[in-house]
Amino acid sequence: MTPHNASGPSRWSDLDRPPLNATALRRGLLHEGGLWTSVDVVQRTGSTNSDLVARAASGAADEGAVLVAEEQTAGRGRLDRRWTAPPRSGLFFSVLLRPAEVPLERWGWLPLLTGVAVATGLSRAAGVDTALKWPNDLLVTVGGEERKTGGILAERAGEDGVVVGVGLNVSLRADELPVPQAGSLALADAVSTDRDTLLRSVLRSLETWYDRWRSTGGDPVTSTLQETYAAGCATLGRQVRAELPGDRAPVGEAVAIDGDGRLVIATAEGVREAVGAGDIVHLRPA
C-alpha cells in the first residue's frame, strides 16, 4: 500500500530517502560535558539559520543547539543565493556556538573550521574525498570534474553567538541538480548516503575541531586549523578571479591562507592581495 495523506505524499513516500531518526541522533550526540545540548529535527522550514538566530535572540537556545530540517524552502548561501533541494535529499542544519574564550577578530575562522570538520566527517563516514573552495564551499569529484556539493553560512546571533549553517547534497540525482556545476555524495560514489550516520560523523568532527580551536583561544596555528585548511583547500595553487565589492576583480594565483583566514592572491603585476570577502572563481588552465 502506498502511504498517502490529504495534503500530499507522506514523509515515507520516497523509500530511498528515509526520514532522520531524531531519537537516535540525540542518543548518539548528547552527552554530559559535550558541546551538543539539543538536537531538533523539523520537517520543513524556510531557513534553519534564520530559525536558530531567532531562537538565540529569544533566549530559547543554548550553545550547542542543533537544528536540522528535512526540507528548506528558503535556504541561503553566500551573497543571499537561494539553496533548494528535494525533501530528505540532503543535510540542512545549523548550530549555535558561543566562543567566549576566543577574541572577536578570530571568529572569522568559524566557517573555515566548519569546512574542515565537515570534510573530515564525510571522509570517515562516506568515504568521499571532499575538497574546500575558499571560503566556504564543499567540492566533490563527479566524472573527473569538481562539483559543489555543499556550502557553509555563518551569521552573528546577538553579541556573543554565531549560528553556522551547513547545506549538503547527499542523495541528489543527476536530473535533480539545480545547476550543472552541482554535485552530491551519491554522484561522487559515496560508500554511504545514510544521513543519520553522516550527520553524527560531521557533528562529532565539528565538536572536536571547535574544542581544539577554542582551547587555544582561536589561534589558527596552535590549533593546526590554518595548516589543515590549507592542505584541503582546492583553491590554493590555482589561477582565480576574485569578484570583490566595488566591481573590482583581481586575477592571479591563490598562494596562501593568512592568519586571519583570508585568501592571498599573487597577481601578474607582482602584488599580493589578501581577500577577506568576495566571490572566488576557479579559472581553467589556458
Side-chain angles (χ1 to χ4, degrees), residues 143-164:
E145 291 188 354
E146 284 181 344
R147 302 276 193 91
K148 178 178 174 178
T149 194
I152 297 160
L153 180 67
E155 299 182 68
R156 286 294 297 271
E159 292 298 314
D160 64 345
V162 179
V163 167
V164 183

Side-chain angles (χ1 to χ4, degrees), residues 119-149:
T120 304
L122 292 179
S123 175
R124 290 174 183 158
V128 168
D129 186 14
T130 309
L132 303 166
K133 177 176 179 280
W134 189 92
N136 50 15
D137 285 349
L138 300 155
L139 306 177
V140 294
T141 302
V142 178
E145 291 188 354
E146 284 181 344
R147 302 276 193 91
K148 178 178 174 178
T149 194

Side-chain angles (χ1 to χ4, degrees), residues 3-15:
H4 184 269
N5 60 38
S7 62
S10 88
R11 59 198 287 260
W12 298 98
S13 58
D14 189 338
L15 297 180

Side-chain angles (χ1 to χ4, degrees), residues 109-122 130-133 135-139 151-152 164-166 202 205-206 209 225 228-229 232:
W109 277 98
L110 276 170
L112 282 70
L113 181 153
T114 303
V116 167
V118 172
T120 304
L122 292 179
T130 309
L132 303 166
K133 177 176 179 280
N136 50 15
D137 285 349
L138 300 155
L139 306 177
I152 297 160
V164 183
V166 176
V202 165
S205 178
L206 180 53
W209 272 103
L225 177 57
T228 307
Y229 185 89

Side-chain angles (χ1 to χ4, degrees), residues 85-259:
R88 303 188 308 279
S89 66
L91 288 173
F92 319 110
F93 67 94
S94 299
V95 301
L96 174 60
L97 304 173
R98 291 194 168 109
E101 308 88 342
V102 177
L104 192 62
E105 60 267 21
R106 289 177 169 170
W107 287 19
W109 277 98
L110 276 170
L112 282 70
L113 181 153
T114 303
V116 167
V118 172
T120 304
L122 292 179
S123 175
R124 290 174 183 158
V128 168
D129 186 14
T130 309
L132 303 166
K133 177 176 179 280
W134 189 92
N136 50 15
D137 285 349
L138 300 155
L139 306 177
V140 294
T141 302
V142 178
E145 291 188 354
E146 284 181 344
R147 302 276 193 91
K148 178 178 174 178
T149 194
I152 297 160
L153 180 67
E155 299 182 68
R156 286 294 297 271
E159 292 298 314
D160 64 345
V162 179
V163 167
V164 183
V166 176
L168 185 68
N169 294 332
V170 176
S171 65
L172 217 60
R173 299 181 281 265
D175 62 351
E176 295 174 319
L177 296 175
V179 293
Q181 299 80 18
S184 70
L185 297 183
L187 292 173
D189 299 323
V191 297
S192 173
T193 54
D194 181 314
R195 293 182 305 137
D196 285 277
T197 300
L198 298 175
L199 183 57
R200 282 197 302 271
S201 183
V202 165
L203 287 174
R204 285 170 181 157
S205 178
L206 180 53
E207 179 175 9
T208 298
W209 272 103
Y210 180 66
D211 286 349
R212 180 186 301 177
W213 176 75
R214 188 169 55 174
S215 70
T216 64
D219 188 310
V221 176
T222 308
S223 66
T224 72
L225 177 57
Q226 184 176 4
E227 174 188 358
T228 307
Y229 185 89
C233 182
T235 304
L236 292 181
R238 302 274 285 269
Q239 288 293 313
V240 301
R241 181 174 68 250
E243 298 178 348
L244 306 178
D247 292 329
R248 291 184 59 239
V251 173
E253 182 184 352
V255 294
I257 304 294
D258 75 6

